[in-house]
Amino acid sequence: MKKTDVIIVGAGASGLMCAIEAGKRGRQVVVLDHANKVGKKILMSGGGRCNFTNYMIEADCFISNNPHFCKSALQRFTQWDFITMVEKHRIPYHEREHGQLFCNDSAKAIRDMLVQEAEQVRVDIQLNSDISKVAKKAGHHYIVSTTREDYYCQSLIIATGGLSIPKMGASAFGYKIAEQFGLNVLPTRAGLVPLTLHEKDKKQLVPLSGIAVDAIVSYAQRNFHENILFTHRGLSGPAVLQISSYWLPGERVEINLLPDVNLFERLKETKNKNPKLLLKTLLKECLPKRLLAVRIEKDLLDLPLQNISDAIFEQISMQLCHWNIKPNGTEGYRTAEVTLGGVDCNAISSKTMESKNSPGLYFVGEVLDVTGWLGGYNFQWAWASGWCAGQYV
Ligand SMILES: Cc1cc2nc3c(=O)[nH]c(=O)nc-3n(C[C@H](O)[C@H](O)[C@H](O)COP(=O)(O)OP(=O)(O)OC[C@H]3O[C@@H](n4cnc5c(N)ncnc54)[C@H](O)[C@@H]3O)c2cc1C
């Protein structure tokens, strides 16, 4: 049996950050991962460029049953701390809309930075390690058995992430360990995921496949103003992914296809100035022809504005600016970026990430019931929670 101070299960974003910080404190750290590569999700993130953080990190951009839980960690290890690390490693990066920060070249730079920092403090990373059993010993020590070795440790950190992208090694391991030690696990579901449509809507919208438009997507007082993308399965694009984390099955979402236009007023004004203008000529300035054809009747599109009443203008505005649509589900974990729900934060110390009822057992990253918006928020949570645990394990 190998003795070590700290075992971290999961060589992903949060596990590596925790390993680095614990290593800096002189702790002997072993990281176990069943995958054949370190940080697979980091490598595939942000379309290969890793959206590693966001200039505008706020607790309101995270979803949790306990919305206060994430605040302390996010304040102690901030986006600026991670940016300092990135700059120390001379990784070129840039800002995109909504404060999102991406690598200029490749996500590999972030993964390599973490591995390098871990190596500097002699963290031992063991890949292809399947964990068969975890047991608690007297004095709050833990035994972790893998197919190759048994480890005896003082601190056990679960950093196994969520359920999204099973092909990348995602597993329910973290939730099972939580349950084994009596922690509550809140129901999980896919987040930041495309929405699928009922057959009738799908049939109508399939011709729009590939079209992206600027829109506001709303649900339950949440509004996201970004692109939406029509796909052959349903709706995607950043605004739809964002709302998917809030949307509940059976409910409707509202889409405003003309977020920057007061359409009703514009129609009336244009009718006064240019009564012979065809409705389609005016609308084509704002929206793709194929999309208009799906939302507005052809006969109406062909009419001059002078032949259209205010009541019909009102109707057209409703159809384009208050489009109510009822998704039939999501694409699920196969394509989801994150998992909502997870280990109940009420069972965890927000200062140390240690389980309240099982000393020495810690949970960090996405396995916890903390889910960020699209835009670098999920990595910032992984870095921050991993960093906090790293100060105590
Ligand atoms: C396609 C995609 C793109 C994304 N892009 C972004 C982005 O640009 N910006 C952003 O902020 N977030 C992004 N995310 C989300 C982000 O990747 C995760 O929130 C983040 O990686 C979570 O970190 P983590 O350490 O909790 O888990 P992970 O990084 O998922 O790491 C978990 C590790 O645990 C290992 N593991 C799992 N089960 C076991 C087991 N049973 N035994 C041993 N090891 C195990 C896994 O192999 C993995 O290495 C993206 C997610 C996906 C799927």
Side-chain angles (χ1 to χ4, degrees):
M1 172 127 41
K2 262 197 179 163
K3 273 195 175 177
T4 183
D5 297 328
V6 178
I7 291 279
I8 299 175
V9 186
S14 61
L16 290 172
M17 184 56 98
C18 181
I20 293 164
E21 288 304 309
K24 281 185 193 165
R25 290 173 42 240
R27 303 290 278 160
Q28 196 185 353
V29 182
V30 177
V31 183
L32 303 173
D33 201 301
H34 64 175
N36 58 355
K37 247 190 222 168
V38 174
K40 278 191 175 181
K41 271 196 194 159
I42 301 174
L43 293 174
M44 75 188 299
S45 67
R49 294 247 159 92
C50 187
N51 178 194
F52 54 82
T53 193
N54 193 296
Y55 278 140
M56 294 178 281
I57 299 288
E58 278 174 32
D60 193 41
C61 306
F62 294 83
I63 303 164
S64 171
N65 205 37
N66 177 348
H68 302 293
F69 179 82
C70 64
K71 290 180 182 170
S72 166
L74 294 171
Q75 275 163 18
R76 281 178 293 147
F77 186 83
T78 67
Q79 62 273 42
W80 310 111
D81 294 315
F82 195 76
I83 292 166
T84 302
M85 199 169 166
V86 168
E87 288 179 351
K88 189 181 103 191
H89 284 257
R90 297 180 196 283
I91 298 172
Y93 67 92
H94 61 277
E95 182 186 357
R96 294 194 194 162
E97 64 280 13
H98 307 292
Q100 304 171 8
L101 300 188
F102 284 79
C103 294
N104 285 0
D105 304 318
S106 162
K108 193 170 168 293
I110 298 291
R111 197 276 309 260
D112 292 352
M113 168 186 87
L114 295 165
V115 171
Q116 200 186 321
E117 292 250 342
E119 280 170 359
Q120 268 168 17
V121 291
R122 286 189 279 281
V123 169
D124 176 10
I125 302 178
Q126 295 286 331
L127 298 173
N128 301 305
S129 292
D130 283 313
I131 293 149
S132 51
K133 200 173 153 199
V134 172
K136 193 171 176 178
K137 289 281 145 198
H140 307 308
H141 284 62
Y142 292 85
I143 292 183
V144 179
S145 307
T146 75
T147 34
R148 278 187 261 135
E149 190 92 59
D150 286 349
Y151 295 90
Y152 183 81
C153 63
Q154 280 173 15
S155 300
L156 172 60
I157 293 84
I158 306 299
T160 45
L163 296 170
S164 51
I165 324 274
K167 268 202 272 176
M168 283 289 130
S171 82
F173 180 85
Y175 310 129
K176 287 188 186 142
I177 294 295
E179 280 165 354
Q180 179 186 338
F181 290 97
L183 281 80
N184 186 30
V185 177
L186 296 163
T188 56
R189 62 190 169 89
L192 299 181
V193 63
L195 296 172
T196 54
L197 298 172
H198 289 284
E199 212 43 53
K200 189 169 152 266
D201 290 328
K202 199 163 113 181
K203 222 169 167 180
Q204 197 193 21
L205 298 183
V206 147
L208 305 183
S209 205
I211 291 182
V213 288
D214 182 44
I216 295 177
V217 183
S218 309
Y219 171 77
Q221 273 128 44
R222 289 281 170 183
N223 309 298
F224 290 98
H225 185 171
E226 289 181 65
N227 266 5
I228 63 169
L229 172 70
F230 296 91
T231 73
H232 59 283
R233 287 199 201 91
L235 297 171
S236 188
V240 169
L241 299 184
Q242 298 278 34
I243 218 71
S244 74
S245 296
Y246 291 92
W247 175 77
L248 294 174
E251 304 270 325
R252 292 176 166 273
V253 297
E254 187 177 288
I255 303 175
N256 179 354
L257 293 168
L258 292 166
D260 299 319
V261 181
N262 181 335
L263 185 60
F264 182 65
E265 290 304 323
R266 172 98 171 257
L267 288 165
K268 279 202 307 183
E269 270 168 33
T270 319
K271 180 176 164 177
N272 279 338
K273 282 190 212 144
N274 193 353
K276 291 199 165 61
L277 190 78
L278 300 183
L279 177 66
K280 69 179 173 196
T281 314
L282 173 64
L283 292 179
K284 266 194 299 192
E285 281 172 21
C286 317
L287 286 171
K289 214 163 111 185
R290 274 193 284 159
L291 178 50
L292 286 175
V294 162
R295 293 303 296 151
I296 312 285
E297 275 173 44
K298 188 179 177 314
D299 293 349
L300 191 55
L301 283 172
D302 289 335
L303 286 181
L305 296 174
Q306 65 188 3
N307 291 9
I308 308 176
S309 68
D310 280 6
I312 300 291
F313 281 164
E314 193 85 73
Q315 242 178 54
I316 295 168
S317 300
M318 289 303 284
Q319 272 163 279
L320 296 179
C321 304
H322 299 276
W323 179 11
N324 259 275
I325 191 158
K326 191 174 178 180
N328 83 337
T330 74
E331 287 188 10
Y333 294 119
R334 190 180 58 82
T335 58
E337 277 200 17
V338 283
T339 302
L340 291 143
V343 176
D344 189 346
C345 299
N346 293 325
I348 306 289
S349 154
S350 60
K351 187 175 171 202
T352 62
M353 303 293 142
E354 189 175 21
S355 138
K356 287 177 185 165
N357 70 352
S358 208
L361 177 64
Y362 297 73
F363 291 83
V364 294
E366 202 183 310
V367 71
L368 286 164
D369 169 36
V370 176
T371 307
W373 284 3
L374 187 78
Y377 295 90
N378 286 294
F379 277 136
Q380 188 58 37
W381 170 246
W383 316 134
S385 56
W387 184 91
C388 287
Q391 312 307 312
Y392 297 94
V393 294

